[in-house]
Amino acid sequence: MTETTESESRKLLGRLRNAMAEESAGQTRLDKITHLIADSIGTEVCSIYLFRDDETLELCATEGLNPESVHQTRLKLGEGLVGRVARTGLVLNEADAPSAKGFRYMPETGEEIYSSFLGVPVQRLGETLGVLVVQSKQARTFSADEVYALEVVAMVLAEMTELGAFAGDNAAMGARHQQSEMFRGGTGQEGAAEGHVWLHEPRVVITNPIAEDPHKELERLRTAVDQLRISVDQLLEGASTSGDTEQVEVLEAYRMFANSKGWARRMEEDISRGLSAEAAVEKEQSTARARLSQVNDAYLRERLHDLDDLSNRLLRILTGQGSETGAEMPADPILIARNIGPAELLDYGRSLKGIVLEEGSVGSHAAIVARALAIPLVIHAERITTEALNGDHIMVDGDQGIAHLRPDDTVVAAFRDKIAMQAQALERYDSIRGEPAQSKCGKVIALHMNAGLMADLPSLDGSGAEGVGLFRTELQFLVRNKMPKRTELAALYARVLDAANGKRVVFRTLDIGSDKVLPYMKPNDEPNPALGWRAIRVGLDKPGVMRMQLQALIRAANGRPLTIMFPFVAQYEEFTAAKAEMEKAIERERILGHKTPSKLEIGAMLETPSLAYAPNRFYDEVEFLSIGGNDLKQFFFAADRENERVRRRYDTLNVSFLTFLEQITKRCEASNTPLSFCGEDAGRPIEAACFAALGFKMLSMRPASIGPVKHMLRRLNLDELREVIHEAGARGEQSVRPAVMDYLRKID
């Protein structure tokens, strides 16, 4: 690249800076900018198209096209060459535009006399805000230097658009971060909440995208990159010392990028073109994010995420804008993040009113903690971290997987009505908290709660739960950077039993693998982790951890009754092997002189269809069974519950699934084996009523669901409901839901 070209680029940016420094309206600024660009690059036409909504681009300023077409010419995303640039986020350089694939002639613009076309996306952090276009009569392909120069200008336009430099009355030029936005994602945890945005990673604001002194900016960049490399090396040294293998792998990737000559060279070239050090970093970050949206390979996506995180670190070094911005957390914070780990989420605790993530999954660590803390969670809310600002009003509907950012009055009124109705229902449920879940036909269903943190235990009395049907022990392993000690676990489990105050607590042994990977264990690269090395399989193959946990549970009981449950048992031999480990642990503790449980119950979680067909000996030996509905359902329907395309495709009240569940209840009745249903569906009143009608005498759910489920059960005659279910099956219906809903309407 020649010094002359670089000087011309810097000269153009200098002229743009002067134009934007003038006191003028947004439209006037845009008009001046299109004139300056066309004049500097030597083209007859320069046009700027901005989005007026998610699907529509609008011509907002032009030099060379018919001025009357401004704010009149509109294109759908993907329509014409401009729409194609916006959709793909890629530069389009055509010598003969009318002959190019997808060309769309817009007669009102008068562009038919122009042959060459260069379109560059106006992007910020991977989000396309519009398209910058230059055209000329001469049929030619624009040079690499000209393309590069226009990309640099587009970067500045993106920053100025973000800062509101072109704000006007027109929809396409409306000030950013002020309009109402709805983000439709997925449900991570049900519930509704209203509050104000708190960004987990505050955005870095760049107010000086154009360099005053390129040599000074180069020096600033090099100093910051050196500082970044030193900090990454220090972090890597600390992670290596602690044995945190997963963190070491991430930091190794950070170090690779931090020392990448190509990354540094591209940023230095951006500065030589006239960008400030911060703008150069963000330009490369935007390019990486644009690539990220087009990459399906999981490994490559992770590496691009690493580069994105590293860019954020570099920007904070350059701007001095650390994670502590001085902003005060609102009294009603709704946490907004791309993703978040369980330990970080626990640091916030119950202060959060809701959580919205761009990523995440229903089985992620964050979702598990959110459920334990009963905080509404929306996942897969794309773009929310780039749109939301600290303090923005936001409403989170975890039931529907929707977040309303800066909602209008109509949405606010409807949402507050929903929250008020839920509050009234809670008052109604509170009135029956001490009453049994007894149906009209006299059947009593035991309702227990799921837990995984000490923070859950106060809900034991407040919810009316009769005990803890599932205590997830893996959370204590997931939130640490190293394996917990036996004494630490024993003390924790003892506090759980103390808090339960004599009520039954079912401790599920360590359920790791699949989507729950310990940060200090080497991850296994499996093609299908949900069907891989997980839960009891890990425990039996690596018995040291299982033995340590069983000893901790025995010591925590300290002579009190103890109930444990082994997860993901697929065959009889796995249960007998795990039970043998428990018996060895009891004997060892007895030899050491420690108190052993006054009563010991050993059960299993039925999460694989194979266990439903285990030998009779298994049903005779196991002291209780709990159906893990979330996993059992995904394996029964061969539908990954982390896959949004299929996880809602199959109804829990499908006749085939209910028939399968009823077969299990009959086997348990024949062997006199206590059976419960544990999972999200147990906490849904209609599903819970159907389970009870089919013979389940115990249900375990999140604490907040106990009131609604109890209210439903007390209204029903379960014998009648069972007949409704059987009659729907006999008629050949795929799901009994319509018949059940019709029955419920008649009894209201």
Side-chain angles (χ1 to χ4, degrees), residues 226-284:
D226 287 342
Q227 189 176 334
L228 176 70
R229 289 169 180 163
I230 292 169
S231 68
V232 169
D233 286 341
Q234 289 171 341
L235 288 169
L236 186 55
E237 184 179 347
S240 300
T241 303
S242 69
D244 189 342
T245 54
E246 187 177 34
Q247 185 72 356
V248 166
E249 288 184 9
V250 171
L251 290 170
E252 287 282 10
Y254 278 10
R255 183 160 69 176
M256 178 187 72
F257 284 124
N259 288 282
S260 167
K261 292 180 180 178
W263 185 51
R265 186 186 66 251
R266 288 192 299 273
M267 291 187 291
E268 289 179 2
E269 286 178 355
D270 294 334
I271 290 173
S272 69
R273 288 286 190 171
L275 291 183
S276 66
E278 293 89 342
V281 175
E282 194 164 280
K283 179 177 179 292
E284 293 308 310

Side-chain angles (χ1 to χ4, degrees), residues 210-228:
I210 301 172
E212 301 246 353
D213 182 348
H215 296 293
K216 183 179 177 182
E217 293 301 307
L218 276 172
E219 190 59 38
R220 288 182 64 232
L221 176 70
R222 288 166 182 164
T223 300
V225 169
D226 287 342
Q227 189 176 334
L228 176 70

